């Protein structure tokens, strides 16, 4: 019979065993494939452009003595350049086919009177040319689209945005998309699969770099001439046949000349700290591989993803060990069959091929099932990520991820199917004449080998339990962290009417009207407003001068700044410690006032009535009128910082974030907010609408991801270890039936037989536990970088994980040991 037909016949004859192997493989390979898919997307996947390996990212770390604008996807000031420097490098570069600049931003969009929000890229005319892309429709932005500042009213749509918002209509060319209140002519569509060059940031559209006022309405055109205004990110493509070292040396020669001959003289008259100017002159451009694009997400996610990928790989290893044990047990049960076939002339090679074919059929089916598990798990993980990150990732499995699943399945066949096949095929034909051959079990060597595999399972399971315990306890510490404010029953959202062309006076009126309309809704108890978002790791620091403070040279005199409305503290539940709250009378016609938190008061020794000023000044125009309790406004895990709050009625901010506290269910608020905002101005979209509880969870998404997935993987691994232990012991008892029956017939007590089985388990558990604990202590040091409030060698976690595993081991061994103690000697001895 053909080996494949024989394999399918064996699968039908043993459906229970086949189901167990297929299920375990689907879970093990599926979990590992899902983690590899995310790891590959964020850290390894190259941009979908020709020859991505020739792309390089540029950065210039060192003193940057001006201001700037950070984008949302990269945020690394060291990687920012000024617009004039970009143009100088673009003109003078050699060794590269071109240098491109870009920056991403949020925007209010409208097409045919349908408002929405989106994410755009400001790109130079060389952007698509350097990437060597071809448009899916129309044309790209080129050098001719950026002759003058703010006059290139064209836009290129992202492919997914075109399909979702425009239905993939090829007639969209020439139509108008309104971006931040300005109509732009649609001239093209980017190719399918291209989402921009910032990993984790999906570009909905692209506009010329000279349209910066779209991203920041009211931007002074002087920013395009200012050499100390840093806001563009650069990448380049190496010319064919040119080494990076050669091209870097040539470009740095140009860069150094501009720094020393043009920019440094502009700083020579400033009062700079000692050595700053020398370090400024010595700056060099640093080059890094640009095949994966640019992103801050990669640096944030690298360690957690590596840990989770390692955890998933351990689960797969446990699955493979279990499969090897099951195949060994099945092969031992078929030793008589193999010996009979060998006596009839079958070669050892043919026996191995047959057993490998049977294993391959099981593993092929399990591999296909693993793709379903992996796709489901990727969607679950994506749902745990903040919306801003999830929208930039692909929830579907890539061809590379599918190839990974196939490779993992193939390795399982080769490594964990070959050993059982090799051992079982080594059958003595003489055994075929003995009735007990089918119960030989492969001898003591086979039993010892299965014991080693089970010991390894125990070690791996304990390691995973410890990691899961560490991440879970870390998340519990995060959950217990006192934020200093009450986030329950609050819904938050933001509006950016400035992007729709609102001037300062209209902005103030819009914010007031919206706040009043929200406060008038049934069930609303308080409406807080702030010019900055809470708990999104965004913070604005400003240097301060405090009346009466004699700060030593070089001392940090900065504080975080938040512009808030009069009911902000009431809505967030931040207690007042001294003085008064803001009122509507604290407007532009009134003296400047501020409220500070307790940490500010401690750091600067201030109290109500003291005066402060921004920058290094000897005048203090702002009076402190109140002190409030400390609150973690920007990060759950970071320490409280000194904060100075300013009344929004004395400052105008381009965006406003509202925090609505109500006595009704948050779901009712979420459906109410868009209706209220639309009544004020239907062209201003609502963004970031969610409960504050969801905001807190997004702020600690890494901790939640590590805890949830590691706990799930550890539970699966421990269950597999328990099942594997039970299977090995149960099979061992069956194979040793005559021996155990003889012991009982010769006077051994049942308790002695049970203790003998449990002693065997105890030895495996102690050895495996010791190995697992040693590995957990080593890996715990690595995990400490992402733990919060505990050590990677936490004794409570180590003890708890050991206790859980001991319980599982005892549960898995008790029934086989009990069965061994209850063997009837007369029945056992009758077996041949």
């Amino acid at each position: 019979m053909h080996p494949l037909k024989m394999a399918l016949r064996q699968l039908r004859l043993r459906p229970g065993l086949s189901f167990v192997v297929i299920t375990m493989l689907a879970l093990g390979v599926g979990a590992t494939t899902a983690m590899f898919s995310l790891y590959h997307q964020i850290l390894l996947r190259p941009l979908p452009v020709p020859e991505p390996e020739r792309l390089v990212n540029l950065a210039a770390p060192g003193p940057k003595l001006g201001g700037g604008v950070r984008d949302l996807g990269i945020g690394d000031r060291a990687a920012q350049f000024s617009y004039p420097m970009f143009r100088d490098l673009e003109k003078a570069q050699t060794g590269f086919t071109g240098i491109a600049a870009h920056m991403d931003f949020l925007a209010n969009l409208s097409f045919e009177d349908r408002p929405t929000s989106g994410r755009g890229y400001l790109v130079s005319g060389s952007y698509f040319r350097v990437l060597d892309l071809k448009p899916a429709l129309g044309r790209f932005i080129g050098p001719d689209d950026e002759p003058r500042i703010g006059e290139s009213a064209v836009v290129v749509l992202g492919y997914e945005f075109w399909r979702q918002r425009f239905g993939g209509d090829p007639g969209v060319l020439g139509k108008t998309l309104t971006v931040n209140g300005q109509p732009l002519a649609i001239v093209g569509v980017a190719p399918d699969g291209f989402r921009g060059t910032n990993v984790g940031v999906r570009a909905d559209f692209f506009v010329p770099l000279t349209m910066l006022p779209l991203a920041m309405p009211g931007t002074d055109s002087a920013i395009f001439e200012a050499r100390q205004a840093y806001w563009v990110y650069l990448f380049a493509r190496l010319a064919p046949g040119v080494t990076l070292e050669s091209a870097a040396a040539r470009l740095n020669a140009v860069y150094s000349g501009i720094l020393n001959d043009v920019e440094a003289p502009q700083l020579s008259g400033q009062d700079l700290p000692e050595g700053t100017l020398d370090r400024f002159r010595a700056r060099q451009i640093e080059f890094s591989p640009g095949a994966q694009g640019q992103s801050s997400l990669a640096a944030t996610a690298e360690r957690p993803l590596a840990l989770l990928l390692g955890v998933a790989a351990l689960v797969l290893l446990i699955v493979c060990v279990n499969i090897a044990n099951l195949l060994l047990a099945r092969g031992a049960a078929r030793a008589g069959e193999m010996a009979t076939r060998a006596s009839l002339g079958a070669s050892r090679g043919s026996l191995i091929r047959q057993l490998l074919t049977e294993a391959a059929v099981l593993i092929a089916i399990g591999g296909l099932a693993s793709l379903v598990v992996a796709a489901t798990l990727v969607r679950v993980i994506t749902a745990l990520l903040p919306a801003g990150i999830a929208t930039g990732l692909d929830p579907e499995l890539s061809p590379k991820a599918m190839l990974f699943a196939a490779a993992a399945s193939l390795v399982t066949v080769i490594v964990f199917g070959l050993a059982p096949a090799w051992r079982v095929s080594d059958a003595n034909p003489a055994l075929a004449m003995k009735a007990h051959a089918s119960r030989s079990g492969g001898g003591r060597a086979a039993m010892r080998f299965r014991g080693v595999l089970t010991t390894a399972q125990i070690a791996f399971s304990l390691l995973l339990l410890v990691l899961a315990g560490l991440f879970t306890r870390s998340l519990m510490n995060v959950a217990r962290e006192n934020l200093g404010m009450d986030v329950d029953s609050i819904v938050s959202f933001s509006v950016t009417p400035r992007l729709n062309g609102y001037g300062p006076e209209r902005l103030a009126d819009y914010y007031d009207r919206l706040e009043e309309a929200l406060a008038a809704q049934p069930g609303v108890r308080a409406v807080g407003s702030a010019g900055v978002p809470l708990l999104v790791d965004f913070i604005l620091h400003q240097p301060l001068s405090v009346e009466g403070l004699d700060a030593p040279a070089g001392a940090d005199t900065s504080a975080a700044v938040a512009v808030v409305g009069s009911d902000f503290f009431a809505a967030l539940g931040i207690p007042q410690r001294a003085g008064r709250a803001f009122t509507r009378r604290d407007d532009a016609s009134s003296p400047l006032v501020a409220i500070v938190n307790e940490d500010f008061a401690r750091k600067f020794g201030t109290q109500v009535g003291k005066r402060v000023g921004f920058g290094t000044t000897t005048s203090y125009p702002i009076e402190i009128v109140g002190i409030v309790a400390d609150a973690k406004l920007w990060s759950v895990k970071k320490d409280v910082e000194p904060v100075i709050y300013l009344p929004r009625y004395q400052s105008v901010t381009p965006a406003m974030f509202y925090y609505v506290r109500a006595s009704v269910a948050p779901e009712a608020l979420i459906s109410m907010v868009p209706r209220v905002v639309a009544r004020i101005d239907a062209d201003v979209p609502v963004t970031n609408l969610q409960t504050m509880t969801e905001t807190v969870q997004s702020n600690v998404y890494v901790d939640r991801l590590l805890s949830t997935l590691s706990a799930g993987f550890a539970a699966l691994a421990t269950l597999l270890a328990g099942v594997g232990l039970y299977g090995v012991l149960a099979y061992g008892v069956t194979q040793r039936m005559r021996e155990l029956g003889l012991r009982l017939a010769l006077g051994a007590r049942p308790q002695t037989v049970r203790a003998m089985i449990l002693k065997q388990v105890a030895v495996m558990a102690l050895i495996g536990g010791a190995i697992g604990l040693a590995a957990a202590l080593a890996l715990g040091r690595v995990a400490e970088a992402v733990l919060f409030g505990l050590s990677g060698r936490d004794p409570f976690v180590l003890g708890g994980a050991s206790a859980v595993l001991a319980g599982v081991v005892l549960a898995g061994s008790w029934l086989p040991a009990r069965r061994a103690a209850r063997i009837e000697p007369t029945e056992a001895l009758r077996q041949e």
Side-chain angles (χ1 to χ4, degrees), residues 3 12 57-58 141 234 304 404 426 454 470 510 515 634 656 819:
R12 291 194 301 271
N57 296 326
L58 280 62
I141 292 168
L234 308 185
F404 176 87
D426 188 18
T454 303
L470 289 173
Y510 177 93
E515 189 169 323
W634 290 280
M656 192 62 69
R819 181 186 172 198

Side-chain angles (χ1 to χ4, degrees), residues 540-575:
L540 177 64
H541 284 99
Q542 288 285 354
L544 291 167
S545 297
V546 181
E547 183 182 19
L549 177 68
D550 186 16
D556 177 18
T557 59
S558 66
V561 180
V563 177
V564 302
S566 56
D567 287 338
F568 175 82
F569 303 109
L572 273 299
I574 301 176

Side-chain angles (χ1 to χ4, degrees), residues 101 106 217 278 281 421 470 596 637 721 749 766 785 805:
L106 294 175
D278 291 336
R281 290 177 177 274
L470 289 173
V596 300
K637 296 170 65 175
R749 299 170 60 193
L766 287 174
L805 187 62

